[in-house]
Amino acid sequence: MTKAKQVKNCATNPSIFNSIISIARQFFSTTCAVAGLESEPEGVRKLFGSSTGVLQDKDLLKKAPNGELLVLYLIDNGAMDADASLYNQVMKKCTEWKRLKEGRAVHEHFLRSRFSHYTVPNNTLINMYAKCESMGDARKVFDEMPERDMVSWTALITGYSQNEDAKEGLVLFTEMLRFGFMPNQFTFGSVLKAAGALESGGTGRQLHGGCVKCGYEENVYVGSALVDMYTRCGLMDEGKIVFDKLSCKNEVSWNGLIAGHARKGEGEIALKLFCEMKRGGFQPTHFTFSSVYAACANIGALEPGKWVHVHMIKSGLELIAFIGNTLLDMYAKSGSIDDARKVFDRLLKKDVVSWNSMLTAYAQHGLGKETVECFEEMCRIGPEPNEVTFLCALTACSHAGLLDNGMHYFELMKKFKIEPNISHYVTIVDLLGRSGQLDRAEKFINEMTIEPTAAVWKALLGACRMHKNLELGAYAAERVFELDPHDSGPHILLSNIYASAGRRSDAARVRKMMNQSGVKKEPACSWVEIENAVHMFVANDDAHPQREEIRNMWENITDKIKEIGYVPDTSHVLWFMDQQEREERLQYHSERLALAFALLNSPPGSPIRIKKNIRVCGDCHTAFKFVSKVVDREIILRDTNRESRPSCRFSREASRYELKGPLCRKTVVKALRMVQEYGSTKKLWQRPKDSGNNSIAHGEADENQIEGYGEEDKIFHQIVSKKLLTEVLAVRKQEIQAQTLRVFDCLTPNTILSLISRSSSLSQTQQVHAHILKTGHSNDTHFTNKLLSLYANFNCFANAESLLHSLPNPNIFSFKSLIHASSKSNLFSYTLVLFSRLLSAYILPDVHVLPSAIKACAGLSASEVGKQVHGYGLTTGLALDSFVKASLVHMYVKCDQLKCARKVFDKMLEPDVVSWSALTGGYAKKGDVVNAKMVFDEGGKLGIEPNLVSWNGMIAGFNQSGCYLEAVLMFQRMNSDGFRSDGTSISSALPAVSDLEDLKMGVQVHSHVIKMGFESDNCIISALIDMYGKCRCTSEMSRVFEGAEEIDLGGFNALVAGLSRNGLVDEAFKVFKKFKLKVKELNVVSWTSMISSCSQHGKDLETLEIFREMQLARVRPNSVTISCLLPACGNIAALVHGKATHCFSLRNWFSDDVYVSSALIDMYANCGRIQLARIIFDRMPVRNLVCWNAMTSGYAMHGKAKEAIEIFDLMQRSGQKPDVISFTSVLSACSQAGLTEQGQHYFDSMSRIHGLEARVEHYACMVSLLGRTGKLKEAYDMISTMPIEPDACVWGALLSSCRTHHNMSLGEIAANKLFELEPKNPGNYILLSNIYASNNRWNEVDKVRDMMKHVGLSKNPGCSWIEIKNKVHMLLAGDDLHPQMPQIMDKLRRLSMDMKNSGVSHDTEFVLQDVEEQDKELILCGHSEKLAVVLGILNTNPGTPLRVIKNLRICGDCHTFIKFISNFEGREIYVRDANRYHHFNEGVCSCGDYW
């Protein structure tokens, strides 16, 4: 025996296999024991498995040679030790793979083991049987368990709820409570699902109470189950309340709410929730998309459905079966059968539901042939059909009239051992009835093996209505009344049968019967989707806001379709009235109103999709076919039965007749064969009459001699004349396309040209193009130019470009339509490329091509290219055309080349008002008042009368260019000249009045608004509010706001800005909160206005709180919001908040915005991170003056005079001219550093070099600079010689310097000036008091303090802020309210002792009170900046930098104390006082002890 055979025997013989395993394990165990190892080496465990067995996890369900599970076989033969965990592991594997047979074998083996009483394996058994849908076995295991725990009960309840036995799950839950078990979150989740499945709202509410009692209401798992339960019970409001209360939502909670609205048919709400879910950062799952697709399908919302489909593709989710089925159903019900087929073809795995969905889609669209083909394909390669499959196939056969196919499939059900249910019988009755075989249908019903239901008799009744069989219809109706007396449909059908037969009394009797029985007819309702919104209409709807336009549109359409042969079929109006009244009643069916609305509000050529809740009437069906021809649109109408595509085309010759019913295959094939035989329309109509053909009687003979020809002749005529080509392609798309190409082979060039000219869609144009290529006519310029024109009209520039490239000798017509279409589509670069190619081909453009090229230059603001085109026009003489000149004027105005525009305008022989208005508006926008008025006044001499557009252009132009007075004067002139101003005129004039702050003029304009009746115009209301706000008339501003009937967000935003501008921040905040409660959502402008208001008025903490509320409201901030928020972060040194805002700006690409970058520089500088500010500055791609000033000011604040001067010089070298703020920053830097000479140099250069007059703030900087260096006399002399009156800032700088240098005489002079200028400022009194105190003049100190008391002033308390762990703490001098104050004071005392021990003492000179030395030290300990620093030390990790802000100037003792702490504690400490930043590190301050 060979070695290979020996190995094979070992592997297949169980006894040999087990012996080898046992011997090998014993050998390795003995070896390990001798070696002193406590456990087997890793290699042994990998080879033989764990100590409990020899199998890996993946091999647990492998079979042994005898067919049983290998793991059980090894246990039985002693090769593996059995334990409870092994059984548990194998059971879990059976659960995972749903192997019920193997699971039962493991269960049987487990019962024989010594572990059969263990609870955990038994719980796993219950779960396994539940997952394998064997609840009987699961219950048996549960009942036989000797001991149960909470998991046992929960597993069985979950099994019942998941296996559609919800009632048993609720009973078990009640039993569990009786046994004293307290449910956990998973138990509640399962039992709530059971309550939802039973749609038992009462039970659900009781369970909800239990959840609250057990404390699970906030649990996201239970909360999601509650949301799902309430929505399944139809209690949407209660579900929404639970959802809103969830503090932590997840995808499951969103899915429950979205699915609930989708099930209830509230598709719009489901879509809105989906958008909110996306905005909230939640990732939709397969179940989410499935629910949203179902919602879109319910309302026929194709575009939102496509948008959701795109989101799913972007998310990377696979198109698995169940999601693919719902997506397919959505496309089918929304009228896009082609997209449905694409989804079906792309499914990774097609199950029977997928095939059934595709069959249903084809059936709904009446595509019988495609349904049959799909069914046959399923039988060949797909899963075995079930009863639903056959129902879809039978329905399709019924709608398409395929009687033989339908009866064959009904018999085929027996082959697949499928018993027909009532739905199959209904479909067969409908099939026979539609085919006119009513007797056979009745016989079929009588021979049914099950009792016929009302649905069966209703199908027969509908067929009787169609074929006007009164006797059988009455019999069927009686059967329906017995079985379903409350259904209004059969009553209406029977009444209609009587009415159509002229039996009015019987019809009235049926309607009387309905009234007596309380049966009401379901009102007709139609839906149409326009711009992602679904609009609903009811019959004779007069509540729609566009009702007048809709009715006028339908009346116009009716007149047009009557001209081409439409005659209203009044037999569908079953009321006793005259003919005219019958016609009027037909006109306002809900589907007609929906169609008229769609025609009004959708772009030309786009498909229209309408859904109706009941069956469409015959007259509406006919009317829609005619409308589709008149408007050249595809109209898709979905009623209760199917999708209809009335896209038929009717020629003038064939307008007197219409083919009834679908074109059958036989007829089409015959007609196409005739084309091949006779080759042209002319030959066909010359063909002698064939007596064998079935003629259609037309009454009179017409001029085209149609009468007398066979049915195939007429069909051919309609196909060739393009009247029914679309319908043919829709009914027999694939087959007819192939046949049409063979027909084209025989068509003459004239016929091809006729087909090109009548092509109404891109696909038809591409078919003709393909034929031209095939037949070798592609070099015929006449054909290709026509095709180019069509491609251009359809905006299919890729095909047009390809065709243009293929032309060997293109002409002007080849380029003309393409240039015009690209310019119209704003593809300006492509337009100029085409124009350049036209010239390169030595083709002379005409007066129709040149304006398109000029428009492209204007759109790109390419003035140089425009001048070249102009020059070419002058060379060729085309520029003499008036239309070309008008285009040139517009182009030069848009490119801001007004001189060129004026030259062209002056040379126009007959200038028009449009060019004149463009020129005057251009001058006004540029601020050229003289030329604007001159050209405007010359209009009368040129015979041009200004229109409303001309006046509005002048007013708006002056306003935009800052010529506010001219804008107002032009508005006055407009009204005085007798022109009636409109809303645009007033909306342009009011901002000009606002910027002039001319209240009197504003009141006059307001009066004019009331006189003209524009007081309800929201744009004008907003402008009025803004005007009164800028004119500081807040009372009138509020009156306008409150007097408006309906205010919009624009008016509200203007009110908030106006209140803020006038310092009424608290009032603005009240209005903001009040308005926020009224409207559902504020926009980003509203939130930004409030944030800006608080930030600009020092309410920094409120600013951060409002921004947090904005984010909670899901409003996305923009760059303006960020630039308003950052100053608030900087003002209170909230670095963490500032960094978070910076990160937000980076994620949203705001950081490149120059204003955001400037705000970031300022924020980081204010927070002490000047290095980060510089990094932001250096990385800016573009800098403006604000950025330079922010960086210079930041360095000045930090005392980095050298760097501030470098930035200032670099700004000038880069070409940026400094302004007054730039000089303020650089002079402040020189002042902080004591750079007297450089400061004097920059001060002198303002007027000498840059032509800037020094303002009072510059003088204040110079006084501070001279005072800091001790040159108090020079500082006083500068003040005395100032060309402008010195203000409080200048005298304050001198007084502060006198305090530093103890100069009492000058200090008294400065103080007295300040008492006059700022009598209510306590700081000036304090400074003078301090000067006296430093000179021990205590009597004068008391006098100053008495003056303060007499005036009613008190010293501003020292206040400091510090940010710790994302929270800003505020401390006051002598504060004892802070919760950590005992620890702060204890730490402060210990630090003071450490400072004294190191040889540094407190500087009591800064205590300006006449007290003992010890008391002075105590007073110094209570300064707010010291308290803030110590609070930071107590609450942060060692080495963490500290940032403190103080509202006053830091005192010398605190400065010394913080220097010591920075060295002693090893901390970097940043303190920003009223003057500058101090950076303390290792006992040194960045100010150099000079501040």
Side-chain angles (χ1 to χ4, degrees), residues 282-294:
F282 294 94
Q283 189 64 35
T285 64
H286 279 110
F287 298 100
T288 317
F289 285 112
S290 176
S291 300
V292 178
Y293 291 146

Side-chain angles (χ1 to χ4, degrees), residues 1140-1157:
T1141 308
H1142 187 187
C1143 292
F1144 180 87
S1145 67
L1146 288 170
R1147 289 196 305 271
N1148 293 276
W1149 303 99
F1150 294 152
S1151 55
D1152 290 336
D1153 184 277
V1154 67
Y1155 297 102
V1156 173
S1157 297

Side-chain angles (χ1 to χ4, degrees), residues 1294-1302 1327 1330-1331 1334 1406 1408:
L1294 180 61
L1295 181 61
S1296 179
S1297 299
C1298 292
R1299 162 70 181 85
T1300 303
H1301 297 286
H1302 310 292
L1327 275 174
N1330 292 348
I1331 293 173
S1334 63
F1406 292 95
L1408 304 173

